[in-house]
Amino acid sequence: MFTGNEYLCSVGRLLLFKIIGMTFENIRLVARYERNLIIRNKLFWIFACCVVAGISLSHWLWQGDSLGGLRWLNRALPSFIPFWNAWFYNLVQGIIVIFIGIDFVWRDRRLETNAVFSARPVTNLAYQTGKVLGIVEVCLVLNLITMGLGMIFHILFGEPETFQLKIYFVYLFVMTLPTLFFVLGVALIVANRVKNHALAVLVLLAVFAAFYFGTTDFSCGTIDPWGRVLPLLFSDVTGMTRPEWVVLQRGMFVLLGLGLVVLAMGMMPRLSERAGVTWKVRAGGWTFLLIGILFGGAYYSIFHELNNRRDLYREVFEKYAEVKGGHVKVHNIYFRQEGDKITGESDLVVANVGGRPLVRPVLYLNPGLEVTALTGGQGENLPYTRESQAILLEKALQPGEEILLHVVYEGKIDEAICFPDFTDEEFHDTRLMSFFRTYHSMFRHGRCFARVGDDYTLLFPECLWYPVAVPPVNVNAPLARQYDFTRYRLKVGDVGKRVAISQGEMEMSGDTTVFRNREPLPSLSLTIGEYERRSIVLDSLTFELYHFSGHDFF
């Protein structure tokens, strides 16, 4: 037996479910109606045919094998063909959306194509949502068609062994859909504010051109709707270079687009049967816009903070540039990596080879690495001062005097220390450089100056992953760089099944690899990954080649 309250609650739930079901049904109905209207438009078919033919022709001309090895560089990586496909469609879909969006508003305003829904209990929000959904569905279907053409070209005329289906769908979500939402939102706002059809088209094309030609490198691509400076190329080993950049920048345009679309819904002149709905719709639109702006601010702050750190490190290098005479004679390094953190122990002999006393000898170490211990030859703690990358020893060295140091350090590598002689624009340049020393403005791989991870580790001397007495670059005169030749011995622990590669004679024992050098070297590099080894012996000289599995094509 049901009580009165239980009966009313059950009836209320049934009514709620029925209303929700009717709302979704109305949205699907309006979307289907709008989709049919767009498909019947001859202008849409002209655009669609041009897009399909243009993308297919571009694949053949720029990535086909008709010109032999010259075009192989444009299709060598697994992500080259899908990226080209998504990039080309992402550009031209803006023009399609502009005309479709304006036509959508103009039809409702002049031709009254929505009269059929006036007799149906369709709310204003459901109606406008269905109309927008219809446009999105048409653009999405056209996008999937062009993706299919790219896949066919990839398998038949590209590099079939590099085909990866997931890359096509990743580019669908991080390249074309965010641009679709943003351009559609802008088109609907302009179409509702500018009453003249031709003038609205001209305004949108002008806005489109301004964004395209003026926002590529502005503020590191923060306001570029196409995300052309983002490092979107894939690596089979490490994936995407900067996924956090992609999430913030593309997420910003998704949210801004949704906010503009929702605000445009509140501008469309169609009465709602519920009072007070308009302000709620507008509040939702402004909420999306605010969150999108926060995403954009977070994206820009990454580069702003990075530039501030680079300025600080550059000042420290300049401050101690005149402290000369320090020289590391012998350096034994123990290195261990876990996740994105490294732990190092250095036993080094530091000498004063200059003609004047070193009141406070200077060592340089990546500022992201914290010094946990610094002791002398007898195990005594030595006082020191840390200033960003500079370690100032509170012990004077007379000319010709030597000191034995034991330094323990751990932490994460800060890439901002690398190449302080680069300008900020050069440091953030994500363009891919070809074998001919020319930049490819379309393919962006991202500049990763150091990488530490379980999948792959790559450390160059410029990132200061071990302490040195001479900085890797002369910020005051980059061409007058100094070199500190040191006898190195490197021991890499916890390698596991991976392979560690560095300068010197390699000795492997269990999960530990040791590199010994007979002659002094100016610096050391280190890479750790799942490499495969090939070797050949010629006249007692062994040549070795290391490559990743499946990457043995040269």
Side-chain angles (χ1 to χ4, degrees):
M1 296 292 295
F2 288 101
T3 63
N5 291 334
E6 292 175 342
Y7 178 76
L8 290 176
C9 290
S10 61
V11 171
R13 285 195 296 268
L14 289 175
L15 289 175
L16 178 62
F17 291 149
K18 186 174 181 180
I19 292 173
I20 294 176
M22 290 179 60
T23 300
F24 280 108
E25 180 63 29
N26 289 331
I27 291 175
R28 289 196 296 267
L29 179 63
V30 176
R32 184 168 62 250
Y33 183 77
E34 179 67 20
R35 186 173 63 244
N36 291 335
L37 288 176
I38 295 174
I39 293 176
R40 293 170 186 169
N41 192 330
K42 295 181 180 179
L43 184 61
F44 167 76
W45 281 105
I46 294 174
F47 277 126
C49 292
C50 291
V51 169
V52 171
I55 291 180
S56 301
L57 185 61
S58 70
H59 277 308
W60 182 257
L61 292 179
W62 276 277
Q63 296 178 311
D65 57 0
S66 58
L67 297 179
L70 184 60
R71 297 306 182 196
W72 180 82
L73 297 176
N74 292 334
R75 64 176 190 271
L77 293 184
S79 57
F80 274 5
I81 293 178
F83 179 83
W84 185 287
N85 184 277
W87 188 93
F88 199 110
Y89 179 80
N90 202 28
L91 176 63
V92 297
Q93 81 166 344
I95 302 176
I96 299 176
V97 171
I98 286 174
F99 284 92
I100 291 179
I102 292 180
D103 188 61
F104 155 32
V105 177
W106 182 75
R107 279 190 280 104
D108 279 3
R109 183 186 300 158
R110 299 297 182 186
L111 302 181
E112 296 185 354
T113 54
N114 62 340
V116 67
F117 295 104
S118 299
R120 297 180 61 87
V122 181
T123 64
N124 191 36
L125 183 60
Y127 172 77
Q128 306 296 357
T129 302
K131 298 280 281 186
V132 171
L133 184 60
I135 297 175
V136 173
E137 288 178 352
V138 171
C139 293
L140 183 60
V141 170
L142 183 59
N143 193 356
L144 293 175
I145 293 174
T146 58
M147 283 173 54
L149 293 173
M151 295 178 192
I152 294 173
F153 175 85
H154 199 151
I155 296 174
L156 297 182
F157 305 104
E159 300 293 330
E161 62 277 2
T162 66
F163 176 80
Q164 296 183 25
L165 181 63
K166 65 178 182 180
I167 298 179
Y168 284 88
F169 286 96
V170 168
Y171 288 151
L172 170 67
F173 288 102
V174 303
M175 290 184 66
T176 56
L177 285 183
T179 305
L180 170 61
F181 288 125
F182 180 74
V183 176
L184 178 60
V186 173
L188 294 180
I189 291 290
V190 173
N192 278 281
R193 287 301 183 186
V194 181
K195 304 303 181 182
N196 185 278
H197 183 269
L199 181 60
V201 172
L202 291 177
V203 170
L204 280 173
L205 290 177
V207 172
F208 184 90
F211 271 110
Y212 183 79
F213 293 105
T215 64
T216 304
D217 297 306
F218 181 77
S219 297
C220 299
T222 303
I223 58 175
D224 179 19
W226 296 273
R228 287 166 291 176
V229 301
L230 291 176
L232 293 174
L233 293 181
F234 271 84
S235 166
D236 287 348
V237 180
T238 60
M240 199 173 287
T241 307
R242 310 286 187 182
E244 65 277 8
W245 296 5
V246 177
V247 171
L248 290 175
Q249 205 270 357
R250 304 314 288 159
M252 175 186 70
F253 282 100
V254 170
L255 293 168
L256 291 179
L258 291 175
L260 293 174
V261 168
V262 174
L263 287 177
M265 291 179 180
M267 299 177 183
M268 296 176 183
R270 186 177 185 271
L271 296 178
S272 174
E273 73 284 357
R274 295 176 59 191
V277 172
T278 301
W279 76 266
K280 293 180 181 179
V281 172
R282 291 177 178 175
W286 284 110
T287 301
F288 278 119
L289 289 177
L290 178 60
I291 299 175
I293 293 174
L294 293 177
F295 268 58
Y299 173 80
Y300 177 76
S301 67
I302 293 176
F303 302 94
H304 182 70
E305 181 183 358
L306 190 61
N307 292 338
N308 289 338
R309 296 204 310 272
R310 283 174 48 78
D311 291 337
L312 173 62
Y313 301 155
R314 192 180 293 112
E315 291 176 359
V316 173
F317 277 131
E318 293 174 349
K319 181 178 180 180
Y320 298 104
E322 297 303 322
V323 181
K324 299 179 180 180
H327 165 59
V328 179
K329 298 180 62 176
V330 180
H331 197 163
N332 296 328
I333 305 172
Y334 173 74
F335 177 91
R336 184 169 57 87
Q337 168 263 324
E338 183 177 357
D340 59 351
K341 297 181 179 180
I342 69 172
T343 300
E345 296 184 24
S346 291
D347 293 306
L348 57 163
V349 177
V350 180
N352 181 3
V353 296
R356 294 182 299 177
L358 288 175
V359 179
R360 301 174 74 191
V362 181
L363 296 178
Y364 298 94
L365 181 67
N366 191 284
L369 301 178
E370 179 185 359
V371 176
T372 58
L374 199 160
T375 59
Q378 303 301 322
E380 74 280 10
N381 290 326
L382 296 179
Y384 68 93
T385 303
R386 186 77 187 267
E387 185 177 351
S388 297
Q389 72 271 29
I391 302 174
L392 307 176
L393 302 178
E394 303 296 339
K395 179 178 175 60
L397 285 181
Q398 299 300 320
E401 185 180 358
E402 298 180 355
I403 183 174
L404 176 62
L405 299 177
H406 177 73
V407 186
V408 181
Y409 44 94
E410 62 181 11
K412 298 181 180 180
I413 294 293
D414 184 0
E415 293 183 52
I417 194 65
C418 300
F419 301 101
D421 55 323
F422 283 10
T423 64
D424 292 339
E425 291 74 16
E426 291 174 333
F427 187 83
H428 299 304
D429 193 349
T430 58
R431 292 178 297 174
L432 178 64
M433 180 179 288
S434 70
F435 296 117
F436 305 106
R437 305 293 296 177
T438 57
Y439 285 106
H440 202 302
S441 60
M442 183 183 300
F443 294 138
R444 304 275 182 153
H445 66 104
R447 272 194 177 176
C448 191
F449 297 100
R451 181 179 180 86
V452 178
D454 292 329
D455 53 356
Y456 184 63
T457 294
L458 179 62
L459 298 171
F460 293 113
E462 287 77 11
C463 70
L464 293 174
W465 58 280
Y466 58 88
V468 297
V470 177
V473 65
N474 186 342
V475 293
N476 295 323
L479 296 180
R481 176 182 174 182
Q482 297 178 340
Y483 295 92
D484 190 22
F485 286 86
T486 304
R487 191 182 302 277
Y488 288 101
R489 179 182 180 272
L490 173 63
K491 182 179 180 181
V492 184
D494 296 337
V495 176
K497 296 182 179 179
R498 299 173 299 168
V499 177
I501 304 174
S502 185
Q503 291 91 337
E505 297 180 1
M506 178 191 298
E507 296 180 9
M508 302 178 64
S509 176
D511 64 348
T512 301
T513 305
V514 179
F515 299 90
R516 292 184 174 86
N517 291 278
R518 299 178 181 178
E519 301 296 332
L521 298 177
S523 58
L524 281 185
S525 300
L526 174 64
T527 179
I528 306 174
E530 297 182 358
Y531 288 102
E532 294 182 356
R533 175 178 177 271
R534 294 187 180 188
S535 63
I536 185 173
V537 179
L538 295 176
D539 294 333
S540 72
L541 184 62
T542 303
F543 294 90
E544 294 180 332
L545 177 64
Y546 292 86
H547 61 85
F548 294 108
S549 177
H551 291 253
D552 54 353
F553 176 77
F554 309 103

